[in-house]
Amino acid sequence: MLTTTTTTDPIALDARHVLQVYRRAPVVFETGKGCALFTRTGERYLDLISGVGVASLGHAHPALARAIADQASALLHTSNLFHHPLQSELASQLAALSGLPRAFFCNSGAEAVEACLKFSRRFWYTQGTPRAKFVAFHHSFHGRTMGALSVTWDDHYRAPFAPLVPGVTFVDPADPSAIAAAIAQDTAAVIIEPIQGEGGVRPLAQRSADAIAAACRRTGALLIADEVQCGMGRTGRPFYSTALGLEPDLMALGKALGAGVPIGAALFSDRVAAAARPGDHGSTYGGNLLACRAALVFLDELTRGGLMEQVARTGAYLERGLRAIAARQPAITSVRGAGVMWGLELDRPAGAVVEAALERKLLINRTSDTVVRLLPPYVITEREIDEALPLLEAAIATVVEAPGA
Ligand code: PLP
């Protein structure tokens, strides 16, 4: 029989009733404002991870909060059995931004990746020359559903859930000749993260991007850009794949797009979209009025409110600050990223830096074991960067000075 607890402490209740798949820090946040999060007792933390790249407009953004409340009192959800004006408006705005004219809406990044994988195969099936294989990259991360996991590199995520979708080849993203050899006439699609996020904040090199583009042209393989983490203006440009000169046939979006309201999107070129038939795919919640309204507020801020230019400016300021820290802290072996997406590679595990930062009320995280990652809200100001960087440097210094370090 289920034994229930009488405690109301969220940490104790989580430990008892929530599936233990996360290593949560022992902090409970109740409110937020801009780049700050507050505990029940009013302690303020500076948030440079934004819910893993989601709170693009910061917390409790006034225009977003108003729009959500307004939408809740008008209509939240009708399913995809009917039309509503916000999904079509969002699809057309994403088409204008990306050059990919058709969208499928879902609720997360992994679902967007699933849709891209499925419709890559659907495209080849419709051509009458089925191709089932995918090429992905070392250090890739595309999500945790079975399909997305199948194109995710790290065995740590994969092994407990095998067997996964067969036919995936992983290739070194820094090796253009290996890329050229791996992409073949039977490749349905190549899936890239233009800047790998979970794999350690690793931007794709221009010569690798060129090799991918050439191999896709040569073999007809489709190109999927997973822009879930690095896209939607995070680098001060709409999408990092297009900044590399790539022309993806499919794109996966999520995270920042809903600014905290769950939404994902897969975008398609006309020729890939032409293969889709009613009933091929779907999502009960996908693209409902609430999620689309939130995404439209985000896009309005990004494109008309000057947020993309702000990210380019503050991102450059953040980069200068991080490089200055790296020049003083020899434990930092590399600084990688763009805009408001940065990784500091350390010569040691990065977990202790994250804990030392938390003690200083600065929220960052670790990825790929040795990389400290920053994904601040797009709205972060130079003043907040000036506040955060000394805390970050102190956290790094503590770990370097720790006994036995
Ligand atoms: N793709 C990339 C590049 C990601 O970084 C992530 C999440 O971190 C995903 C896909 C999966 O997104 P979600 O967690 O929303 O399913």
Side-chain angles (χ1 to χ4, degrees), residues 190-203:
V190 181
I191 180 162
I192 59 161
E193 284 165 273
I195 303 180
Q196 292 181 332
E198 304 307 302
V201 192
R202 299 168 196 272

Side-chain angles (χ1 to χ4, degrees), residues 179-181 183-184 190 210-221:
I179 291 170
I183 300 171
V190 181
D210 295 343
I212 291 166
C216 287
R217 267 196 307 276
R218 178 173 49 79
T219 61

Side-chain angles (χ1 to χ4, degrees), residues 52 54 107-113 140-145 148 152 191-199 226-230 252-255 263-264 341 373 375:
V52 201
V54 167
N107 313 288
S108 66
E111 286 175 72
V113 168
S140 63
F141 182 91
H142 297 288
R144 297 163 190 272
T145 55
T152 289
I191 180 162
I192 59 161
E193 284 165 273
I195 303 180
Q196 292 181 332
E198 304 307 302
D226 180 346
E227 296 263 3
V228 167
Q229 192 165 144
C230 66
L253 303 176
K255 289 195 185 281
I263 184 167
M341 176 173 185
R373 178 174 51 170
L375 290 170

